[in-house]
Amino acid sequence: MSDATGTPLKILVLVKHVPDAQFDRHLSGPGHTIDRQDSILSELDEYAVEAALQLAESRGGPKAGNTVTALSMGPEAAASAVKKSLQMGATDGVHLTDPALAGSDSAATSLALAAAVRHLGGFDLIVTGMASTDGETSLVPSQLAERLGLPQLTLASRVELDGDGILTVRRDGEFGSQTVQAPLPALLSVTDQANEPRYPNFKSIIAAKKKKVRTLGLAEIGVSTEQVGAAGSWTRVLSAEARPPRQAGTIIKDTGDAGIRLVDFLADQKLL
Amino acid sequence: MANILVYIDTPAGEEPTKAQRELLALAAALGTPVAAVAAGSADAAAGLGAYGVTTAYTSAGDLDGLLVAGKAAFVAAAARAADAAAVLLPNTGEGKEIAARVGIKLSSGVITDATGIAPDLTVTKPVLAGSYTVAARAVHGIPVVTVKSNSVDPAEPGAGTAHVVELEAGEPGPAARITGTAAKPASGRPALQEARIVVAGGRGVDGDFGPVEELADALGAAVGASRAATDAGWIGHEAQVGQTGTTVSPQLYISAGISGAIQQKAGMQTSTVIVAVNKDEDAPVFEIADFGVVGDLATVLPQAAAEIRRRRGE
Ligand SMILES: Cc1cc2nc3c(=O)[nH]c(=O)nc-3n(C[C@H](O)[C@H](O)[C@H](O)COP(=O)(O)OP(=O)(O)OC[C@H]3O[C@@H](n4cnc5c(N)ncnc54)[C@H](O)[C@@H]3O)c2cc1C
């Protein structure tokens, strides 16, 4: 635990590899799970890595003993999300992987992540993105906070950590905006408004090759195979149906009366 | 019949909002509606009886000072007190965060983004930005479901008074304290997520949301925006539609001066009818538009607004 005297911060950032949204994405297999070819570090997690790095740097960075550990849970390909985080500047990485984890819902995912956090000795701060770009449920940060008994400071668009270890963030939402505050240890999730993620440069890419990545399995974190995957999930997808692609409709060029023709269309659709 | 718990948060007035009445209608279709009322007066809670609510739980403690944790503890306590068969919450950022923690507290499956719930509590929801529709179930505990606006017809008031029960929610656990709130300025327009019609503007408005607002007001619509427009500061961030903004699913979405990037589409492509106005005929937004106008929004939108007012005899 860090305090006013500036003891180094121990930060964990959770990163996920997701199918690249620029390509068509598909559900497949008996559990209707996502195809993870063409996976990349979730765009939204880059903001989490950046926030973690900036907080560590505000305390003097790695030289002062601050650490930013990037953890990714998932199959082989998930290691690429850790690698990208290391290239951005994370100090070390953890790859939590086990075949039994496949198909975990948010409850099972947060259970495994909570166990990994305890196994790694706890952190002053856990940082996540606002949502994964594939599951889009954004449940995991809150569920992890609940399981670990941490205050959650979620959907932060601005983040400040003072010398006393008090974290203050601004949250924007449908309600307007809020300022919320909690002492560390805490869980933080950041939006795409929080910062501009840095690009790895040549030097940081070379440096990343020397950084340590630990691989953890379920047995090491004390989780049984029945607690995760489809067996440990509290929700189940029964069926999935591809939505018929939207058909392009009538496209007109404005020749002076397009506003009126637009209203004709709305009237035809009984939308007026 | 089984009790279905509906979470009712900050009422704008003393009457439930349209989104809240939708949740109440869904609860009535699935069983007996009961409510966990996180804000407002005891009278307002009792008034939910007009929408079929038999018991309205209110909190003994103040829930507003803490972020999420207090409300989650309250909803879990209400679900236990009511022996609820399901919990329904709004599909807002806060609704999902409360649902997430309630799910852990009740060892129950959480399903977000629901557009429908069948009598056997199977939930339908769009995934992957609307490219799939899935059916899902909670297979442990009771389903904790966040429901999208505009998924069902809102409940209409009848007669009746709910029995009000004050609950002691218990220790919320460590939580962040809310130290400041800036409500977004009231616009007099419907809330973006709840609106039946949304008119959204992008970089193409070039600093002037006037034409977008004029058409929105002629239609009684909410105003939305692309991230390019909110990043430019032409309109508040709360108007952003898309992957990192609000997801909307209105009956009509009018997109003006928005190219139709994948992150924008993620927030609006499940709208029933999409109309696009863009001066570039190759803009990707036209691929998903039911009706498209290749033209300048600065002339097309005001002309449409004037025509709507004319037809209404104004
Ligand atoms: C992590 C991440 C998250 C993002 N989240 C979101 C999100 O939630 N929502 C979102 O919208 N974007 C989001 N974006 C941004 C997205 O990628 C696009 O950059 C953005 O949507 C573009 O906004 P635009 O369509 O208004 O601007 P542009 O792409 O610049 O398009 C402007 C359009 O206006 C047209 N136009 C110009 N003048 C006129 C005129 N006078 N009349 C008619 N048409 C005109 C042009 O032809 C053009 O098609 C995100 C990006 C990232 C990286």
Side-chain angles (χ1 to χ4, degrees), chain B residues 2-7 27 32-37 55 57 74-80 82 84-89 106 142:
Chain B
N3 283 337
I4 308 294
L5 182 70
V6 175
Y7 172 69
T32 305
V34 295
V37 186
T55 305
Y57 298 94
F74 167 61
V75 174
R80 287 196 193 96
V87 182
L88 311 183
L89 302 98
L106 300 177
I142 60 171

Side-chain angles (χ1 to χ4, degrees), chain A residues 231-254:
Chain A
S233 290
W234 295 344
T235 56
R236 184 159 305 149
V237 176
L238 307 175
S239 61
E241 218 178 293
R243 211 187 159 92
R246 278 197 99 99
Q247 301 295 324
T250 317
I251 310 293
I252 62 163
K253 273 209 169 80
D254 184 19

Side-chain angles (χ1 to χ4, degrees), chain A residues 146 154 177 192 238 243 249 264, chain B residues 97 101 130 135 182 227 289 311:
Chain A
E146 176 74 24
T154 34
S177 80
D192 61 335
L238 307 175
R243 211 187 159 92
D264 285 339
Chain B
E97 292 181 339
R101 297 187 77 134
R227 194 173 92 169
R311 291 191 191 189

Side-chain angles (χ1 to χ4, degrees), chain A residues 1-2 7-13 56 65-69 117-126 184-185:
Chain A
M1 179 60 220
S2 303
T7 13
L9 283 177
K10 194 177 165 199
I11 303 178
L12 180 72
V13 54
N66 297 286
T67 57
V68 174
T69 303
V117 167
R118 291 195 192 98
H119 174 80
L120 295 167
F123 291 86
D124 298 308
L125 185 64
I126 299 175
L184 299 182

Side-chain angles (χ1 to χ4, degrees), chain A:
Chain A
M1 179 60 220
S2 303
D3 56 27
T5 57
T7 13
L9 283 177
K10 194 177 165 199
I11 303 178
L12 180 72
V13 54
L14 299 178
V15 292
K16 190 172 176 186
H17 75 114
V18 296
D20 192 336
Q22 301 297 339
F23 300 108
D24 279 344
R25 297 173 294 176
H26 298 286
L27 299 181
S28 61
H32 307 287
T33 46
I34 267 183
D35 260 340
R36 292 187 187 277
Q37 287 152 9
D38 301 318
S39 286
I40 52 169
L41 170 61
S42 171
E43 210 165 48
L44 298 177
D45 291 341
E46 292 182 17
Y47 298 90
V49 175
E50 181 63 36
L53 295 173
Q54 287 185 11
L55 289 169
E57 284 158 3
S58 77
R59 293 289 185 95
K63 282 197 190 73
N66 297 286
T67 57
V68 174
T69 303
L71 183 152
S72 188
M73 172 180 134
E76 202 107 328
S80 64
V82 173
K83 191 168 131 198
K84 174 84 188 279
S85 310
L86 296 177
Q87 292 175 345
M88 285 178 70
T91 37
D92 62 319
V94 178
H95 181 197
L96 175 60
T97 185
D98 199 293
L101 284 167
S104 294
D105 72 351
S106 66
T109 301
S110 60
L111 180 132
L113 291 173
V117 167
R118 291 195 192 98
H119 174 80
L120 295 167
F123 291 86
D124 298 308
L125 185 64
I126 299 175
V127 190
T128 77
M130 65 188 292
S132 57
T133 49
D134 55 348
E136 291 164 8
T137 67
S138 52
L139 296 172
V140 169
S142 297
Q143 295 200 318
L144 186 58
E146 176 74 24
R147 288 188 186 277
L148 293 170
L150 294 175
Q152 67 174 75
L153 297 93
T154 34
L155 302 179
S157 58
R158 208 173 284 165
V159 182
E160 264 166 59
L161 179 66
D162 73 8
D164 296 329
I166 307 281
L167 192 64
T168 304
V169 314
R170 196 174 93 185
R171 245 167 91 82
D172 296 317
E174 47 286 317
F175 46 82
S177 80
Q178 281 176 332
T179 312
V180 304
Q181 222 170 43
L184 299 182
L187 179 135
L188 169 72
S189 86
V190 295
T191 73
D192 61 335
Q193 303 289 310
N195 54 49
E196 256 330 304
R198 66 195 68 183
Y199 287 104
N201 57 29
F202 181 68
K203 222 176 104 193
S204 68
I205 289 171
I206 298 296
K209 292 195 196 292
K210 298 200 197 90
K211 292 176 181 169
K212 203 173 81 188
V213 179
R214 282 169 73 177
T215 302
L216 289 179
L218 284 179
E220 284 157 288
I221 60 169
V223 170
S224 77
T225 53
E226 294 82 58
Q227 287 175 286
V228 294
S233 290
W234 295 344
T235 56
R236 184 159 305 149
V237 176
L238 307 175
S239 61
E241 218 178 293
R243 211 187 159 92
R246 278 197 99 99
Q247 301 295 324
T250 317
I251 310 293
I252 62 163
K253 273 209 169 80
D254 184 19
T255 48
D257 64 347
I260 290 154
R261 292 170 67 188
L262 194 164
V263 177
D264 285 339
F265 170 80
L266 299 183
D268 280 350
Q269 300 281 320
K270 310 219 168 356
L271 286 164
L272 282 186

Side-chain angles (χ1 to χ4, degrees), chain B residues 203 226-227 240-244 257 259 263-264 278 296-297:
Chain B
R203 201 192 306 278
S226 72
R227 194 173 92 169
Q240 185 183 319
V241 171
Q243 184 196 44
T244 54
S259 59
Q263 295 94 345
Q264 156 72 206
N278 194 302
D296 186 348
L297 70 89

